[in-house]
Amino acid sequence: MAEEKNQEMTEETVETIFEEETEVNSSEQIETNEKEESDANDAIEELQKKLDESENRYLRLRADFDNFRRRVQIDREANEKYKAQSLVTNLLPAIDNFERAMQITPEDEQAKQLMQGVEMVYRNIIDALKQEGVEVIEAVGKEFDPNFHQAIMQGEDENFDSNIVIEEFQKGYILKDRVIRPSMVKVNQ
């Protein structure tokens, strides 16, 4: 009986030890699994952050490229719209000279015919410029506008209100909606 009791005790001790080791192993296994799961979650979070950063960079680059395309398109349209600007700018001194020449009153028949030729050439140049969208800035009798007029003198004239252009010294020109040259004017005080 003592042997049976010893054997039962030994079996119970072995079972208890086995259960304790199983619990320890299970506990260690759970901790290992939790650690592996935590490491996997950290790796997933890190990869998700990298993915988000890459997506943000991609979206920013795409937006930058779209903005660049828009700017290029706007520049191209502006270049097309104002392609005649340099030609107009170069022709303005010649137009001014034509206008000064036409202010002379011819005295003989030959000078009158020459003046008619000068006027025809002047009208042809002005018509060609109008076809390109060039217009003369109206100045005399208009209110002074610093966007279109350049005041070089002030005067007093009772026939005009204050801040009205009373004399134009040089014509101004607009190409479509861009001022090529402002009018040089005298403004009433």
Side-chain angles (χ1 to χ4, degrees):
M1 189 130 138
E3 232 178 78
E4 277 182 24
K5 225 178 189 187
N6 247 356
Q7 193 170 359
E8 277 180 24
M9 228 172 158
T10 306
E11 285 177 6
E12 283 178 16
T13 306
V14 168
E15 281 180 22
T16 306
I17 291 173
F18 181 73
E19 285 176 3
E20 286 175 2
E21 281 184 14
T22 305
E23 284 178 17
V24 168
N25 284 341
S26 290
S27 167
E28 287 176 359
Q29 185 67 30
I30 290 172
E31 286 177 12
T32 304
N33 287 346
E34 286 176 355
K35 186 176 181 192
E36 288 175 0
E37 190 175 305
S38 173
D39 290 345
N41 285 339
D42 290 345
I44 290 172
E45 286 178 19
E46 186 177 329
L47 290 173
Q48 186 64 41
K49 285 180 184 176
K50 287 181 179 180
L51 177 64
D52 290 344
E53 287 174 12
S54 295
E55 285 177 353
N56 285 336
R57 268 189 307 206
Y58 168 74
L59 291 174
R60 276 188 255 119
L61 283 173
R62 184 173 174 192
D64 287 345
F65 183 71
D66 288 344
N67 290 338
F68 172 76
R69 262 197 356 240
R70 240 181 271 119
R71 280 192 307 270
V72 167
Q73 181 66 25
I74 289 169
D75 289 347
R76 189 177 307 131
E77 289 171 0
N79 286 339
E80 182 64 29
K81 185 175 183 180
Y82 302 112
K83 67 183 176 188
Q85 183 173 347
S86 63
L87 177 64
V88 171
T89 304
N90 292 334
L91 283 176
L92 290 181
I95 291 170
D96 293 338
N97 290 334
F98 270 111
E99 289 172 352
R100 283 187 213 106
M102 291 186 315
Q103 290 175 353
I104 298 173
T105 50
E107 296 179 10
D108 62 1
E109 193 60 35
Q110 196 174 20
K112 286 181 183 179
Q113 289 177 358
L114 180 63
M115 187 57 70
Q116 286 178 348
V118 168
E119 286 176 5
M120 286 174 47
V121 172
Y122 173 76
R123 277 194 306 269
N124 286 340
I125 292 173
I126 294 299
D127 289 343
L129 290 176
K130 281 183 181 177
Q131 288 177 357
E132 288 296 320
V134 176
E135 296 177 24
V136 175
I137 296 173
E138 297 296 326
V140 177
K142 303 286 183 183
E143 186 172 347
F144 176 75
D145 183 350
N147 296 317
F148 299 107
H149 307 122
Q150 180 179 355
I152 57 172
M153 290 180 70
Q154 284 188 336
E156 288 192 29
D157 190 338
E158 294 173 3
N159 298 328
F160 293 96
D161 291 337
S162 179
N163 205 32
I164 300 294
V165 175
I166 56 177
E167 189 176 346
E168 181 179 53
F169 298 108
Q170 186 178 46
K171 284 185 180 179
Y173 294 91
I174 297 175
L175 174 61
K176 303 199 176 163
D177 58 354
R178 183 182 285 178
V179 175
I180 300 297
R181 181 175 78 185
S183 299
M184 289 189 190
V185 296
K186 182 178 184 178
V187 180
N188 199 27
Q189 286 184 336

